[in-house]
Amino acid sequence: MPITDIKILQQAIHRSGQRMKIIEFNIGRHTLGDQIKQMTLQIRLMHIQDRPLEKKTWKPRPPVVTVMGHVDHGKTTLLDALRHSRVVDQEFGGITQHIGAFCVKLDIGAQVTFLDTPGHAAFSAMRARGANLTDIVVLVVAADDGVMEQTVESVKMARESRVPIVVAINKIDSPKADVERTEEMLMQIGIQVEKLGGDVQAVPISALKKTNLQQLVEAILLQTELLGIGGDPTGLAEATVVESKIDQHRGKLCTVVVQRGTIKKGDILVSGTSMAKVRLLRDADGKLLDSVGPGYPAEIEGWKDLPPAGALVLQVESERRAKEVLKIRKEAKEMEKLDEDAKVIQQKTEQHHREYRDKLEKKRRLGFFKMRREGPRQPEIPRDDDDTPSLNLIIKADVDGTLEALLDTLDTYQSNECKMDLVHYGVGSITQTDIELAETFNGIIYAFNVDVPPNLNEVLKNSKVEVRHHNVIYKLIDDVREEINNKLPAKE
Ligand code: GDP
C-alpha cells in the first residue's frame, strides 16, 4: 500500500537529549474484500533518534553474556555453578531464582551479567526481534567430545552478530578430557586460542566440580575491558526483555536488562503495546532494588500486559505520555490487522470464485453424461434416417481418480461419424446390472483394474457381453479408439 503525505507534526527535544519526531501519514484507499473504501486513516508515529554518546555521562558497565555450545557440553551446569557459587554479599542468604538473567560479582567488585537461558534458541529469538543485548558469547566445548555440530553453529551465530567469543573448555575432570585436541579442533573452525598464538581466550574448566570458574569470569572481564563496554546511566531508560512470566502470587513479571538510563520504582515504561508503572524491582536473589542501571538485570512488577522476550522497553516521562504512545501503537497494530483481514477476505473471495468455476465445469460435464447416468433404459429404436454407427460403452474403474481420467480422455473422442454412447460408468467390481445394461444396449464393458465376481461368471457367459480388462489408461483408450474405427464405414 503506498504511503503518501508524510507530514512532520512536531519535532521536539526530550529532556534526555533525544530528538523526537511525531509524524503523520495518509494510507489512502483501503480495499476490504469487494468493498473499496476511501479510508484516509492517519497514524502518528513517535520516532526516537539515537542520541550521540555524551562522554561525560558514560560509565563502564557489566558485560551481558550468553552461554552457547553443543547439547550436553555443560551449558546448564555452568550457569547453575555460576549462579550458586557467586561471591555475593554474605549477609543476604537469599535463594537464587531463575528470572532470566543474573549477575556474578567478583571480590574485586567487578560484575558480569549472564543471560540464564543457554543455547541458540534464546539467542536467535532475541536476534529475531532485533535485540542486540549480548556483548560476549561464552562458548562451552566439552573436552571429552570436542567441536561438534552446534559448536560450529554457535560460532557462526556469534560471528554474524559480531559478538566476541570466550571459550570455556569444559569437563576437564573427565578421564577422557583432551584439552589440546579440543583446542586444535577449535583452530580448524577458525577459533585460534591464545595458547596457539591466536587472540581468543580459552579457559579450561569443570562446571561440575566448579574448577576455574573465577578464571572464566576474569577472562570475560578482560574481554570487556578490551571492548570498552559501557553505558549512560542518565536520561530516559532503555532496556530489553529477557523473560516474561505470570507468577501465581506476584502476578505479571518481566525481567529486563537495562541498556541505558536507570529504572527506578515508580517509573513509567512502555514496550510494544504494554505498559508498566514500576511497583517493585528485584534481582535474581529476590533482593529488592531501588534502581537498576546499564548492564544489570532486574525483575519488574507492575505490568498491565506482558511484553515478550526480546522486546524493547522504553521509559516515558508520564503515564499520560505512555497512554498516548500505546494508543498510537495500538492504532498501528489495528491497521496491520485490517490489512491482514482484507488479505484474508480477498483470498476467500478468490477461493470462492475458483470453487464456483469448478462446480460449473462439473455441472456441465455431468449434464453431458446425465442421460447415461440415469440407469437402465430402453434401447433407442434405430431411426431410418440415422445410420450413424454407434459404440455403447460401460466403464468400471477401481478408483474415482482413474475413472475421472478415463472420462476426461473419452470426452475428447467424440466423432461425427461414430456416436460414442457412455451407457453407464462407476467405481467398483462389475455387477449384474452392468452386464444387463451391456446386453440391452449391445455394449462393451471396459473394466479398469476391476474383476468380474466369480458368481457372475455364469451370467456373463450367458449374456454374451464382452468385458475388456485393462490396467493401463492409454491402452484402454486405444482399445476404444480402435473399436470406433472398426465401426466407421470403410472409406472408398
Ligand atoms: P547442556 O545441554 O549443554 O546444558 O549440558 P548440561 O549442563 O545439561 O550437562 C550435560 C551433562 O554433562 C550432565 O550430565 C552434566 O552433569 C555433565 N557435565 C556438565 N559439566 C560437566 C563437567 O565439568 N564435568 C563432567 N564430568 N560432567 C559435566
Side-chain angles (χ1 to χ4, degrees), residues 70-77 170-171 173-174 205-208:
H70 195 69
V71 65
D72 277 348
H73 277 197
K75 301 180 289 293
T76 313
T77 313
N170 193 28
K171 305 198 187 183
D173 60 296
S174 157
I205 64 158
S206 165
L208 197 66

Side-chain angles (χ1 to χ4, degrees), residues 146-373:
V147 169
M148 300 300 282
E149 194 189 330
Q150 284 158 289
T151 319
V152 179
E153 275 173 36
S154 305
V155 170
K156 194 165 162 263
M157 277 191 181
R159 290 223 164 110
E160 276 169 11
S161 309
R162 296 170 198 276
V163 179
I165 292 171
V166 170
V167 181
I169 301 180
N170 193 28
K171 305 198 187 183
I172 53 164
D173 60 296
S174 157
K176 284 194 241 138
D178 189 341
V179 176
E180 267 151 38
R181 176 174 161 268
T182 307
E183 286 168 343
E184 275 155 24
M185 284 177 94
L186 281 164
M187 178 94 120
Q188 281 162 18
I189 60 163
I191 301 281
Q192 199 171 6
V193 301
E194 282 174 340
K195 214 163 93 191
L196 300 178
D199 57 2
V200 179
Q201 298 184 81
V203 185
I205 64 158
S206 165
L208 197 66
K209 304 263 192 268
K210 300 186 171 54
T211 316
N212 285 353
L213 296 189
Q214 174 128 349
Q215 278 89 325
L216 177 64
V217 176
E218 279 166 6
I220 295 167
L221 287 167
L222 184 64
Q223 186 69 50
T224 308
E225 259 177 59
L226 287 173
L227 293 167
I229 291 172
D232 182 356
T234 65
L236 286 176
E238 211 177 289
T240 300
V241 178
V242 294
E243 198 168 286
S244 285
K245 65 178 173 210
I246 298 178
D247 182 278
Q248 250 188 329
H249 308 290
R250 294 191 290 139
K252 294 177 178 132
L253 303 172
C254 161
T255 302
V256 304
V257 172
V258 178
Q259 271 147 316
R260 58 162 54 156
T262 302
I263 299 178
K264 296 170 290 302
K265 255 163 66 172
D267 279 352
I268 310 292
L269 307 174
V270 294
S271 177
T273 51
S274 356
M275 67 171 281
K277 179 165 182 170
V278 181
R279 201 164 49 224
L280 287 175
L281 289 165
R282 258 182 247 263
D283 67 9
D285 297 319
K287 198 168 77 171
L288 291 174
L289 308 167
D290 292 328
S291 66
V292 56
Y296 289 95
E299 191 179 60
I300 296 174
E301 276 185 47
W303 291 93
K304 292 211 164 59
D305 305 296
L306 276 181
L312 183 69
V313 176
L314 295 172
Q315 186 194 351
V316 290
E317 323 79 319
S318 64
E319 227 160 309
R320 216 190 98 236
R321 183 81 195 108
K323 281 181 185 151
E324 222 173 281
V325 173
L326 251 51
K327 188 169 163 264
I328 292 163
R329 288 183 175 174
K330 276 183 183 150
E331 271 172 16
K333 225 176 172 177
E334 268 160 29
M335 262 309 300
E336 262 171 38
K337 191 166 173 310
L338 219 61
D339 251 358
E340 280 301 306
D341 286 353
K343 251 185 236 157
V344 170
I345 291 173
Q346 189 166 349
Q347 275 166 7
K348 278 196 179 153
T349 313
E350 277 167 16
Q351 165 100 7
H352 181 76
H353 281 324
R354 262 200 308 277
E355 280 173 13
Y356 184 67
R357 249 198 342 259
D358 289 352
K359 256 188 208 157
L360 269 185
E361 176 64 16
K362 210 166 186 172
K363 220 166 154 186
R364 192 191 64 75
R365 265 236 342 255
L366 285 178
F368 184 75
F369 289 123
K370 190 168 178 286
M371 265 176 58
R372 297 146 179 107
R373 287 184 59 217

